[in-house]
Amino acid sequence: MVYKSDVVENLLRYYHSLPTSPESTFCDYKIDIDMALPKLKEHSIPLHDALVGVFVNNVPIQEQADIDGVSRMQIHRRLYDGLHLMTMIMNGEF
């Protein structure tokens, strides 16, 4: 499967509900995400933490910015870059 950034974002937003879905495809998605997140963390901890904080744990962007000690705009950049890199990892391009 070829992933797009918007699909990866939605999968991360619903990460906790993926394993409870009765459809096996969602379990496959979770496996792909579980394999990609550690690779993302190896490459960039700030990108990983921003994606997990905002999309998986539903931390508001301002709170994530305060946690990371950066501006809201920097968190937006990290989310964009993190989604791009995560998508590349999940597609086997990185």
Side-chain angles (χ1 to χ4, degrees), residues 20-53:
T20 61
S21 176
E23 193 171 330
S24 64
T25 305
F26 291 107
C27 292
D28 293 341
Y29 293 155
K30 182 160 184 336
I31 290 169
D32 289 344
I33 290 174
D34 286 344
M35 291 176 59
L37 280 173
K39 290 180 184 178
L40 177 66
K41 190 171 187 173
E42 283 176 22
H43 180 71
S44 176
I45 292 173
L47 295 182
H48 172 272
D49 290 351
L51 283 181
V52 171

Side-chain angles (χ1 to χ4, degrees), residues 57-74:
N57 296 332
N58 297 315
V59 175
I61 289 175
Q62 185 58 49
E63 277 186 46
Q64 188 66 40
D66 292 343
I67 291 167
D68 291 352
V70 297
S71 68
R72 285 178 47 196
M73 192 56 164
Q74 185 65 29

Side-chain angles (χ1 to χ4, degrees), residues 1-4 8 32 35-36 39 84-94:
M1 171 173 201
V2 176
Y3 292 100
K4 293 185 177 186
V8 173
D32 289 344
M35 291 176 59
K39 290 180 184 178
H84 180 71
L85 186 56
M86 183 82 169
T87 303
M88 288 177 61
I89 292 168
M90 290 177 70
N91 286 328
E93 299 170 2
F94 185 82

Side-chain angles (χ1 to χ4, degrees), residues 3-22:
Y3 292 100
K4 293 185 177 186
S5 291
D6 58 335
V7 171
V8 173
E9 179 182 343
N10 284 328
L11 290 173
L12 288 169
R13 288 184 186 274
Y14 297 106
Y15 177 79
H16 295 295
S17 64
L18 288 176
T20 61
S21 176

